[in-house]
Amino acid sequence: MPELARAVTSTPHSGIRNMAEIARQIPNVIRLEVGDPDFVTPTHIIEAAASAALAGYTGYPPSAGYESLRELIAEKVTRRNEVATKADEVVVTTGAGGGLFTTLLALLNPGDEVLVSDPVWPGYPAQIHLQNGVLKRFPLDRRRGFALDPDALEGAIGPRTRILIINSPCNPTGAVYAEGELRRVIEIAERHDLWVISDEAYDEIILDGHGISLAALGGRDRIITVFSFSKTYAMTGWRIGYVVASAELASTIGKMQEPVVASASSLSQKGAEAALQGPQDVVGEMVTSYRERLDLAMELLDTEGIGYVRPRGAFYLMVDISSAGDSLEFAKSLLREERVATVPGSAFGPGAEGMVRVSLASSRENLELGLRALSKCLRRQTAVKR
Ligand code: PLP
């Protein structure tokens, strides 16, 4: 048999998927590892997609997306993200994941360095590796809730660094970067002539304070912002997101979808139109529910004397299990002994070692049961270690 491409065989398996695969083989597991909302997509969105199918929206859409959806997205980004945007600066993509991949295709030459934070969502390292880029990490400031440290970021830039990926609100840390830090990111990108991909897949999942879109602060010609319908409207399975960039780059990214996916799905695009045009209180209700679950989780962990990093956005909670030792070993024990799935911090990079990620997009009941079991397992493992 001929061999597969080296970039594929040498790509490490995502630590999130690893745990999910083990969890699937064990009956009655409490699933706190997945970043998939436990809500079903709001009914009016599903109805709009179903009506669109019956109305004949079953052919190929334009590669950059329906003009009607791009107009609605441009209006959303202008109003809610405060980044004045026109429809020709928008490309509708197959989720934020697809948008990131085509954006990297448009920007990355083999051997170019791409700078990401540590910890980071494992999707970036995998995509960079698959496209023969070189991953470089800069540390987040763990003592300050994994805040962005612009000096540490700048210190990691080398002569081959061409692209910087910023993710706020951040998965897995829940950090929402402050305006001053983001302004410095733009200055640094300008000084070192970098592209900046700003992953804002969780732009509307703000648990505390408010989020800022990087491009709202300037540097528009070098910033590409990636958004998603997945988390905001509980539409993870619809595979729909969008990229905002200069009209020229947006057109390139749109063209690059043609030979691979052609475009995002026609029915998902029609659902996305309904999501943007319909009532927005569905988003507020889901965010309120994540906030309530966070309060529940923090109260429980406080009572048990377990440390955590308080998230300000997205829907994850990083829990300190360092007294038990290695995060992968702990996550495996928790799964085997208590049937609770989490993600070991090591899946996100060395900067999250000693922690596990718990998803707040799980039911209150599961969250409570899961965290109690985590506490029990942590006590046991800590005692063994001593
Ligand atoms: N970016 C981040 C930070 C994510 O956490 C995820 C999914 O978990 C994605 C991108 C991909 O999202 P989508 O479902 O829109 O492809």
Side-chain angles (χ1 to χ4, degrees):
M1 269 258 281
E3 285 179 3
L4 296 177
R6 272 190 299 280
V8 173
T9 47
S10 58
T11 297
H13 210 51
S14 147
I16 306 178
R17 294 255 157 180
N18 266 342
M19 292 306 280
E21 274 161 28
I22 306 175
R24 224 167 279 134
Q25 293 157 18
I26 305 175
N28 304 324
V29 167
I30 296 179
R31 308 282 303 268
L32 302 184
E33 89 287 12
V34 277
D36 200 350
D38 67 326
F39 301 105
V40 173
T41 306
T43 309
H44 65 277
I45 299 176
I46 298 177
E47 282 170 353
S51 305
L54 291 170
Y57 282 95
T58 53
Y60 288 122
S63 58
Y66 289 126
E67 194 58 28
S68 48
L69 175 56
R70 293 168 78 200
E71 296 275 358
L72 286 169
I73 290 170
E75 198 222 321
K76 175 264 175 187
V77 176
T78 302
R79 199 161 34 84
R80 290 194 231 159
N81 303 100
E82 298 179 10
V83 180
T85 300
K86 298 198 192 73
D88 64 355
E89 295 167 321
V90 175
V91 189
V92 182
T93 60
T94 51
L100 283 160
F101 196 80
T102 23
T103 300
L104 283 173
L105 268 180
L107 306 181
L108 185 68
N109 289 309
D112 284 349
E113 275 177 9
V114 185
L115 190 55
V116 305
S117 66
D118 175 22
V120 78
W121 178 59
Y124 314 134
Q127 290 202 6
I128 293 161
H129 190 83
L130 284 171
Q131 296 197 31
N132 296 301
V134 176
L135 179 77
K136 207 149 182 215
R137 297 177 191 263
F138 67 92
L140 295 173
D141 189 346
R142 186 161 167 162
R143 282 162 310 157
R144 289 195 301 127
F146 289 113
L148 186 73
D149 174 354
D151 293 326
L153 186 161
E154 187 161 27
I157 296 172
R160 305 200 64 176
T161 312
R162 289 194 58 239
I163 303 169
L164 165 66
I165 303 183
I166 291 287
N167 173 216
S168 174
C170 179
N171 170 14
T173 67
V176 175
Y177 301 145
E179 181 173 337
E181 294 159 355
L182 293 175
R183 284 195 187 279
R184 290 228 19 229
V185 167
I186 296 173
E187 277 167 34
I188 292 167
E190 281 171 351
R191 194 153 51 240
H192 297 272
D193 197 22
L194 305 180
W195 289 108
V196 186
I197 301 176
S198 183
D199 180 347
E200 302 182 18
Y202 296 88
D203 66 329
E204 307 220 29
I205 317 284
I206 300 290
L207 304 173
D208 189 4
H210 71 284
I212 301 169
S213 193
L214 182 68
L217 304 175
R220 290 282 307 267
D221 51 343
R222 62 180 68 245
I223 298 174
I224 300 96
T225 313
V226 180
F227 295 96
S228 181
F229 285 89
S230 287
K231 318 289 177 171
T232 310
Y233 296 99
M235 290 176 71
T236 48
W238 297 63
R239 309 310 307 129
I240 185 141
Y242 48 100
V243 168
V244 174
S246 68
E248 200 185 345
L249 185 53
S251 156
T252 305
I253 293 171
K255 278 192 202 117
M256 291 173 62
Q257 297 201 115
E258 259 170 39
V260 190
V261 291
S263 69
S265 140
S266 59
L267 303 184
S268 298
Q269 293 196 44
K270 287 294 163 188
E273 287 182 4
L276 291 176
Q277 283 177 306
Q280 297 306 305
D281 50 359
V282 289
V283 181
E285 282 162 20
M286 288 190 270
V287 173
T288 300
S289 161
Y290 298 139
R291 262 188 219 123
E292 286 168 2
R293 295 172 202 192
L294 173 62
D295 288 343
L296 171 87
M298 291 194 300
E299 199 182 314
L300 205 148
L301 293 171
D302 286 341
T303 311
E304 299 287 331
I306 300 173
Y308 53 86
V309 177
R310 185 189 181 130
R312 309 283 166 191
F315 43 54
Y316 306 101
L317 178 61
M318 295 296 275
V319 180
D320 188 343
I321 53 86
S322 54
S323 58
D326 183 75
S327 64
L328 179 60
E329 286 311 312
F330 178 79
K332 282 185 181 164
S333 303
L334 182 59
L335 186 51
R336 272 195 307 262
E337 295 164 20
E338 302 287 342
R339 298 189 176 191
V340 176
T342 55
V343 186
S346 57
F348 306 103
E353 189 42 273
M355 306 192 123
V356 290
R357 191 194 74 175
V358 165
S359 173
L360 301 170
S362 328
S363 71
R364 276 179 76 90
E365 191 192 358
N366 276 353
L367 195 59
E368 193 167 348
L369 285 171
L371 287 176
R372 285 196 197 288
L374 181 149
S375 168
K376 218 161 84 187
C377 188
L378 184 57
R379 249 179 279 132
R380 225 172 24 238
Q381 298 280 327
T382 306
V384 170
K385 218 185 143 220
R386 283 198 187 118

Short mmCIF file of all heavy atoms in Angstrom, two decimals, residues 176-227:
data_model
loop_
_atom_site.label_atom_id
_atom_site.label_comp_id
_atom_site.label_asym_id
_atom_site.label_seq_id
_atom_site.Cartn_x
_atom_site.Cartn_y
_atom_site.Cartn_z
N VAL A 176 -11.30 36.94 28.29
CA VAL A 176 -11.74 37.93 27.29
C VAL A 176 -10.70 39.04 27.37
O VAL A 176 -10.54 39.67 28.42
CB VAL A 176 -13.15 38.46 27.62
CG1 VAL A 176 -13.55 39.57 26.64
CG2 VAL A 176 -14.17 37.32 27.55
N TYR A 177 -9.96 39.24 26.30
CA TYR A 177 -8.83 40.15 26.38
C TYR A 177 -9.27 41.61 26.46
O TYR A 177 -10.26 42.02 25.84
CB TYR A 177 -7.88 39.94 25.19
CG TYR A 177 -7.33 38.51 25.13
CD1 TYR A 177 -7.10 37.88 23.93
CD2 TYR A 177 -7.08 37.81 26.31
CE1 TYR A 177 -6.61 36.58 23.87
CE2 TYR A 177 -6.59 36.52 26.27
CZ TYR A 177 -6.37 35.90 25.05
OH TYR A 177 -5.90 34.62 25.02
N ALA A 178 -8.51 42.38 27.24
CA ALA A 178 -8.85 43.77 27.50
C ALA A 178 -8.44 44.66 26.33
O ALA A 178 -7.56 44.29 25.52
CB ALA A 178 -8.13 44.23 28.77
N GLU A 179 -9.06 45.83 26.25
CA GLU A 179 -8.83 46.73 25.12
C GLU A 179 -7.34 47.11 24.98
O GLU A 179 -6.79 47.11 23.89
CB GLU A 179 -9.70 47.98 25.27
CG GLU A 179 -9.52 48.94 24.12
CD GLU A 179 -10.48 50.11 24.15
OE1 GLU A 179 -11.55 50.01 24.77
OE2 GLU A 179 -10.13 51.15 23.54
N GLY A 180 -6.72 47.42 26.12
CA GLY A 180 -5.31 47.85 26.09
C GLY A 180 -4.41 46.76 25.51
O GLY A 180 -3.52 47.03 24.69
N GLU A 181 -4.68 45.52 25.90
CA GLU A 181 -3.88 44.38 25.40
C GLU A 181 -4.10 44.21 23.90
O GLU A 181 -3.15 43.97 23.14
CB GLU A 181 -4.29 43.10 26.13
CG GLU A 181 -3.97 43.11 27.61
CD GLU A 181 -4.80 42.10 28.42
OE1 GLU A 181 -5.70 41.45 27.85
OE2 GLU A 181 -4.55 41.99 29.63
N LEU A 182 -5.35 44.34 23.48
CA LEU A 182 -5.66 44.17 22.06
C LEU A 182 -5.04 45.28 21.21
O LEU A 182 -4.55 45.04 20.11
CB LEU A 182 -7.18 44.08 21.84
CG LEU A 182 -7.85 42.84 22.44
CD1 LEU A 182 -9.37 42.92 22.28
CD2 LEU A 182 -7.33 41.55 21.81
N ARG A 183 -5.05 46.49 21.75
CA ARG A 183 -4.42 47.61 21.01
C ARG A 183 -2.92 47.32 20.81
O ARG A 183 -2.35 47.58 19.76
CB ARG A 183 -4.59 48.93 21.76
CG ARG A 183 -5.99 49.48 21.64
CD ARG A 183 -6.06 50.94 22.06
NE ARG A 183 -7.43 51.39 22.07
CZ ARG A 183 -8.12 51.77 21.01
NH1 ARG A 183 -7.55 51.76 19.83
NH2 ARG A 183 -9.38 52.15 21.11
N ARG A 184 -2.32 46.75 21.85
CA ARG A 184 -0.88 46.42 21.74
C ARG A 184 -0.65 45.31 20.70
O ARG A 184 0.36 45.30 20.01
CB ARG A 184 -0.32 46.02 23.11
CG ARG A 184 -0.25 47.21 24.03
CD ARG A 184 1.04 47.42 24.78
NE ARG A 184 2.25 46.79 24.32
CZ ARG A 184 3.06 46.10 25.10
NH1 ARG A 184 2.77 45.93 26.38
NH2 ARG A 184 4.18 45.60 24.63
N VAL A 185 -1.59 44.38 20.62
CA VAL A 185 -1.47 43.30 19.61
C VAL A 185 -1.41 43.92 18.22
O VAL A 185 -0.57 43.53 17.38
CB VAL A 185 -2.66 42.32 19.71
CG1 VAL A 185 -2.71 41.39 18.50
CG2 VAL A 185 -2.56 41.49 20.98
N ILE A 186 -2.26 44.91 17.97
CA ILE A 186 -2.28 45.55 16.64
C ILE A 186 -0.94 46.27 16.38
O ILE A 186 -0.34 46.14 15.31
CB ILE A 186 -3.47 46.52 16.52
CG1 ILE A 186 -4.78 45.74 16.62
CG2 ILE A 186 -3.41 47.30 15.20
CD1 ILE A 186 -6.03 46.60 16.69
N GLU A 187 -0.45 46.99 17.40
CA GLU A 187 0.85 47.68 17.25
C GLU A 187 1.96 46.68 16.91
O GLU A 187 2.79 46.91 16.03
CB GLU A 187 1.25 48.33 18.58
CG GLU A 187 0.65 49.69 18.86
CD GLU A 187 0.88 50.06 20.33
OE1 GLU A 187 1.94 49.70 20.92
OE2 GLU A 187 -0.04 50.68 20.87
N ILE A 188 1.96 45.56 17.66
CA ILE A 188 3.01 44.54 17.46
C ILE A 188 2.91 43.95 16.05
O ILE A 188 3.91 43.78 15.36
CB ILE A 188 2.89 43.43 18.55
CG1 ILE A 188 3.25 44.02 19.91
CG2 ILE A 188 3.76 42.23 18.22
CD1 ILE A 188 2.89 43.13 21.10
N ALA A 189 1.66 43.67 15.63
CA ALA A 189 1.46 43.09 14.28
C ALA A 189 1.96 44.06 13.22
O ALA A 189 2.57 43.64 12.22
CB ALA A 189 -0.01 42.76 14.07
N GLU A 190 1.73 45.34 13.46
CA GLU A 190 2.19 46.34 12.46
C GLU A 190 3.71 46.42 12.46
O GLU A 190 4.35 46.44 11.41
CB GLU A 190 1.55 47.70 12.75
CG GLU A 190 0.11 47.70 12.23
CD GLU A 190 -0.74 48.89 12.62
OE1 GLU A 190 -0.29 49.70 13.47
OE2 GLU A 190 -1.86 49.00 12.09
N ARG A 191 4.30 46.40 13.66
CA ARG A 191 5.77 46.50 13.76
C ARG A 191 6.46 45.32 13.07
O ARG A 191 7.49 45.47 12.45
CB ARG A 191 6.14 46.56 15.25
CG ARG A 191 7.54 46.97 15.52
CD ARG A 191 7.76 47.64 16.87
NE ARG A 191 7.23 46.90 17.99
CZ ARG A 191 6.29 47.37 18.81
NH1 ARG A 191 5.78 48.57 18.61
NH2 ARG A 191 5.85 46.66 19.82
N HIS A 192 5.87 44.13 13.19
CA HIS A 192 6.52 42.92 12.65
C HIS A 192 5.87 42.46 11.34
O HIS A 192 6.18 41.37 10.86
CB HIS A 192 6.47 41.80 13.69
CG HIS A 192 7.23 42.12 14.94
ND1 HIS A 192 8.57 41.84 15.09
CD2 HIS A 192 6.85 42.75 16.07
CE1 HIS A 192 8.98 42.25 16.29
NE2 HIS A 192 7.94 42.81 16.90
N ASP A 193 4.99 43.28 10.81
CA ASP A 193 4.31 43.00 9.54
C ASP A 193 3.66 41.60 9.52
O ASP A 193 3.96 40.77 8.65
CB ASP A 193 5.29 43.14 8.37
CG ASP A 193 4.55 43.25 7.04
OD1 ASP A 193 3.36 43.62 7.06
OD2 ASP A 193 5.15 42.96 5.99
N LEU A 194 2.79 41.34 10.49
CA LEU A 194 2.13 40.03 10.59
C LEU A 194 0.67 40.13 10.13
O LEU A 194 0.03 41.18 10.31
CB LEU A 194 2.10 39.56 12.06
CG LEU A 194 3.42 39.46 12.82
CD1 LEU A 194 3.15 38.98 14.24
CD2 LEU A 194 4.38 38.52 12.11
N TRP A 195 0.17 39.03 9.59
CA TRP A 195 -1.27 38.86 9.45
C TRP A 195 -1.81 38.50 10.84
O TRP A 195 -1.13 37.79 11.58
CB TRP A 195 -1.60 37.70 8.52
CG TRP A 195 -1.33 37.93 7.08
CD1 TRP A 195 -0.33 37.37 6.33
CD2 TRP A 195 -2.08 38.75 6.18
NE1 TRP A 195 -0.42 37.81 5.03
CE2 TRP A 195 -1.49 38.65 4.91
CE3 TRP A 195 -3.22 39.57 6.32
CZ2 TRP A 195 -1.98 39.32 3.80
CZ3 TRP A 195 -3.69 40.24 5.21
CH2 TRP A 195 -3.09 40.12 3.97
N VAL A 196 -3.01 38.93 11.15
CA VAL A 196 -3.62 38.52 12.42
C VAL A 196 -4.96 37.86 12.11
O VAL A 196 -5.83 38.47 11.49
CB VAL A 196 -3.87 39.70 13.38
CG1 VAL A 196 -4.38 39.19 14.72
CG2 VAL A 196 -2.60 40.51 13.57
N ILE A 197 -5.10 36.61 12.55
CA ILE A 197 -6.40 35.94 12.45
C ILE A 197 -7.04 36.04 13.83
O ILE A 197 -6.49 35.53 14.81
CB ILE A 197 -6.24 34.46 12.03
CG1 ILE A 197 -5.53 34.37 10.67
CG2 ILE A 197 -7.60 33.78 11.98
CD1 ILE A 197 -5.25 32.94 10.22
N SER A 198 -8.16 36.73 13.90
CA SER A 198 -8.84 36.89 15.18
C SER A 198 -10.03 35.94 15.20
O SER A 198 -11.02 36.15 14.49
CB SER A 198 -9.29 38.35 15.34
OG SER A 198 -9.89 38.52 16.60
N ASP A 199 -9.91 34.88 15.99
CA ASP A 199 -10.98 33.89 16.08
C ASP A 199 -11.98 34.35 17.13
O ASP A 199 -11.68 34.34 18.33
CB ASP A 199 -10.38 32.52 16.44
CG ASP A 199 -11.44 31.43 16.55
OD1 ASP A 199 -12.65 31.75 16.59
OD2 ASP A 199 -11.06 30.25 16.62
N GLU A 200 -13.14 34.78 16.65
CA GLU A 200 -14.17 35.29 17.57
C GLU A 200 -15.42 34.41 17.50
O GLU A 200 -16.55 34.89 17.48
CB GLU A 200 -14.43 36.77 17.25
CG GLU A 200 -13.13 37.57 17.36
CD GLU A 200 -13.25 39.08 17.10
OE1 GLU A 200 -14.37 39.63 17.16
OE2 GLU A 200 -12.19 39.70 16.84
N ALA A 201 -15.17 33.10 17.50
CA ALA A 201 -16.28 32.13 17.42
C ALA A 201 -17.24 32.26 18.61
O ALA A 201 -18.41 31.89 18.52
CB ALA A 201 -15.72 30.71 17.36
N TYR A 202 -16.73 32.79 19.72
CA TYR A 202 -17.57 32.93 20.92
C TYR A 202 -17.94 34.40 21.17
O TYR A 202 -18.15 34.79 22.32
CB TYR A 202 -16.84 32.37 22.15
CG TYR A 202 -16.56 30.89 22.06
CD1 TYR A 202 -15.40 30.40 21.46
CD2 TYR A 202 -17.47 29.96 22.58
CE1 TYR A 202 -15.14 29.04 21.36
CE2 TYR A 202 -17.23 28.60 22.49
CZ TYR A 202 -16.06 28.15 21.89
OH TYR A 202 -15.82 26.79 21.80
N ASP A 203 -17.99 35.21 20.12
CA ASP A 203 -18.16 36.67 20.33
C ASP A 203 -19.37 37.04 21.16
O ASP A 203 -19.35 38.03 21.88
CB ASP A 203 -18.16 37.44 18.99
CG ASP A 203 -19.35 37.14 18.09
OD1 ASP A 203 -19.86 36.00 18.15
OD2 ASP A 203 -19.77 38.03 17.33
N GLU A 204 -20.43 36.22 21.10
CA GLU A 204 -21.64 36.60 21.83
C GLU A 204 -21.81 35.82 23.13
O GLU A 204 -22.81 35.99 23.83
CB GLU A 204 -22.86 36.40 20.93
CG GLU A 204 -22.65 37.15 19.61
CD GLU A 204 -23.89 37.84 19.10
OE1 GLU A 204 -24.75 38.23 19.90
OE2 GLU A 204 -23.97 37.96 17.87
N ILE A 205 -20.84 34.94 23.44
CA ILE A 205 -20.95 34.20 24.69
C ILE A 205 -20.07 34.92 25.73
O ILE A 205 -18.94 34.51 26.00
CB ILE A 205 -20.51 32.72 24.53
CG1 ILE A 205 -21.05 32.10 23.24
CG2 ILE A 205 -20.90 31.90 25.76
CD1 ILE A 205 -22.50 31.72 23.21
N ILE A 206 -20.62 35.99 26.27
CA ILE A 206 -19.89 36.79 27.26
C ILE A 206 -20.56 36.56 28.61
O ILE A 206 -21.76 36.81 28.77
CB ILE A 206 -19.94 38.30 26.87
CG1 ILE A 206 -19.30 38.54 25.49
CG2 ILE A 206 -19.27 39.15 27.95
CD1 ILE A 206 -17.80 38.37 25.42
N LEU A 207 -19.78 36.09 29.57
CA LEU A 207 -20.35 35.75 30.88
C LEU A 207 -20.23 36.91 31.86
O LEU A 207 -20.96 36.99 32.85
CB LEU A 207 -19.62 34.51 31.45
CG LEU A 207 -19.63 33.27 30.53
CD1 LEU A 207 -18.75 32.17 31.10
CD2 LEU A 207 -21.06 32.76 30.34
N ASP A 208 -19.30 37.81 31.59
CA ASP A 208 -18.99 38.87 32.55
C ASP A 208 -18.34 40.02 31.77
O ASP A 208 -17.42 39.78 30.99
CB ASP A 208 -17.98 38.26 33.55
CG ASP A 208 -17.73 39.18 34.72
OD1 ASP A 208 -18.39 40.22 34.81
OD2 ASP A 208 -16.86 38.83 35.55
N GLY A 209 -18.82 41.25 31.95
CA GLY A 209 -18.22 42.40 31.26
C GLY A 209 -18.65 42.43 29.80
O GLY A 209 -19.75 41.99 29.45
N HIS A 210 -17.76 42.91 28.92
CA HIS A 210 -18.10 42.92 27.50
C HIS A 210 -16.88 42.59 26.66
O HIS A 210 -15.74 42.80 27.07
CB HIS A 210 -18.72 44.27 27.10
CG HIS A 210 -17.74 45.39 27.09
ND1 HIS A 210 -17.29 45.98 28.24
CD2 HIS A 210 -17.10 46.01 26.07
CE1 HIS A 210 -16.42 46.93 27.93
NE2 HIS A 210 -16.29 46.98 26.62
N GLY A 211 -17.15 42.05 25.48
CA GLY A 211 -16.06 41.66 24.58
C GLY A 211 -15.79 42.75 23.55
O GLY A 211 -16.67 43.57 23.28
N ILE A 212 -14.58 42.77 23.03
CA ILE A 212 -14.22 43.74 22.00
C ILE A 212 -13.71 42.98 20.79
O ILE A 212 -12.88 42.07 20.92
CB ILE A 212 -13.09 44.68 22.50
CG1 ILE A 212 -13.55 45.43 23.75
CG2 ILE A 212 -12.67 45.66 21.40
CD1 ILE A 212 -12.43 46.16 24.45
N SER A 213 -14.20 43.38 19.62
CA SER A 213 -13.69 42.77 18.39
C SER A 213 -12.37 43.46 18.05
O SER A 213 -12.29 44.69 18.04
CB SER A 213 -14.72 42.97 17.28
OG SER A 213 -14.39 42.16 16.19
N LEU A 214 -11.34 42.66 17.78
CA LEU A 214 -10.01 43.22 17.54
C LEU A 214 -10.05 44.28 16.42
O LEU A 214 -9.48 45.37 16.57
CB LEU A 214 -9.03 42.09 17.16
CG LEU A 214 -7.58 42.52 16.94
CD1 LEU A 214 -6.95 42.98 18.25
CD2 LEU A 214 -6.76 41.39 16.33
N ALA A 215 -10.75 43.97 15.32
CA ALA A 215 -10.75 44.88 14.17
C ALA A 215 -11.46 46.21 14.46
O ALA A 215 -11.32 47.17 13.70
CB ALA A 215 -11.40 44.19 12.97
N ALA A 216 -12.21 46.25 15.59
CA ALA A 216 -12.87 47.52 15.95
C ALA A 216 -11.83 48.54 16.42
O ALA A 216 -12.12 49.73 16.51
CB ALA A 216 -13.90 47.27 17.05
N LEU A 217 -10.62 48.06 16.71
CA LEU A 217 -9.58 48.94 17.27
C LEU A 217 -8.57 49.41 16.22
O LEU A 217 -7.61 50.09 16.55
CB LEU A 217 -8.84 48.21 18.41
CG LEU A 217 -9.73 47.70 19.55
CD1 LEU A 217 -8.91 46.90 20.55
CD2 LEU A 217 -10.43 48.86 20.25
N GLY A 218 -8.76 48.99 14.96
CA GLY A 218 -7.83 49.43 13.89
C GLY A 218 -7.15 48.25 13.24
O GLY A 218 -7.49 47.09 13.49
N GLY A 219 -6.16 48.55 12.38
CA GLY A 219 -5.38 47.49 11.71
C GLY A 219 -6.19 46.62 10.78
O GLY A 219 -5.83 45.47 10.52
N ARG A 220 -7.26 47.17 10.21
CA ARG A 220 -8.19 46.36 9.40
C ARG A 220 -7.53 45.64 8.24
O ARG A 220 -7.95 44.55 7.86
CB ARG A 220 -9.31 47.26 8.83
CG ARG A 220 -10.31 47.78 9.83
CD ARG A 220 -11.34 46.78 10.25
NE ARG A 220 -12.09 46.11 9.21
CZ ARG A 220 -13.26 46.50 8.72
NH1 ARG A 220 -13.80 47.61 9.15
NH2 ARG A 220 -13.89 45.80 7.80
N ASP A 221 -6.50 46.27 7.61
CA ASP A 221 -5.92 45.66 6.40
C ASP A 221 -5.19 44.35 6.69
O ASP A 221 -4.98 43.55 5.79
CB ASP A 221 -4.99 46.67 5.69
CG ASP A 221 -3.97 47.28 6.64
OD1 ASP A 221 -4.18 47.19 7.88
OD2 ASP A 221 -2.96 47.83 6.17
N ARG A 222 -4.79 44.13 7.95
CA ARG A 222 -4.04 42.90 8.23
C ARG A 222 -4.83 41.94 9.14
O ARG A 222 -4.32 40.88 9.50
CB ARG A 222 -2.68 43.23 8.83
CG ARG A 222 -2.72 43.97 10.15
CD ARG A 222 -1.33 44.25 10.67
NE ARG A 222 -0.63 45.22 9.85
CZ ARG A 222 0.47 44.93 9.15
NH1 ARG A 222 0.99 43.73 9.20
NH2 ARG A 222 1.06 45.87 8.43
N ILE A 223 -6.04 42.30 9.53
CA ILE A 223 -6.82 41.44 10.44
C ILE A 223 -7.89 40.68 9.65
O ILE A 223 -8.62 41.27 8.86
CB ILE A 223 -7.50 42.27 11.55
CG1 ILE A 223 -6.45 42.97 12.42
CG2 ILE A 223 -8.40 41.38 12.42
CD1 ILE A 223 -7.02 43.94 13.44
N ILE A 224 -7.98 39.39 9.91
CA ILE A 224 -9.03 38.55 9.34
C ILE A 224 -9.81 38.03 10.54
O ILE A 224 -9.23 37.40 11.42
CB ILE A 224 -8.46 37.36 8.54
CG1 ILE A 224 -7.58 37.86 7.39
CG2 ILE A 224 -9.57 36.46 8.02
CD1 ILE A 224 -6.12 37.90 7.71
N THR A 225 -11.10 38.31 10.59
CA THR A 225 -11.87 37.87 11.75
C THR A 225 -12.75 36.68 11.37
O THR A 225 -13.41 36.71 10.32
CB THR A 225 -12.75 39.01 12.30
OG1 THR A 225 -11.95 40.19 12.39
CG2 THR A 225 -13.28 38.68 13.69
N VAL A 226 -12.72 35.67 12.22
CA VAL A 226 -13.46 34.45 11.96
C VAL A 226 -14.58 34.32 12.99
O VAL A 226 -14.33 34.41 14.20
CB VAL A 226 -12.51 33.22 12.04
CG1 VAL A 226 -13.28 31.94 11.78
CG2 VAL A 226 -11.37 33.37 11.05
N PHE A 227 -15.80 34.15 12.51
CA PHE A 227 -16.97 34.04 13.40
C PHE A 227 -17.69 32.73 13.12
O PHE A 227 -17.42 32.06 12.12
CB PHE A 227 -17.96 35.18 13.11
CG PHE A 227 -17.47 36.57 13.41
CD1 PHE A 227 -16.92 37.36 12.41
CD2 PHE A 227 -17.58 37.10 14.69
CE1 PHE A 227 -16.50 38.66 12.66
CE2 PHE A 227 -17.16 38.41 14.95
CZ PHE A 227 -16.62 39.19 13.95
#
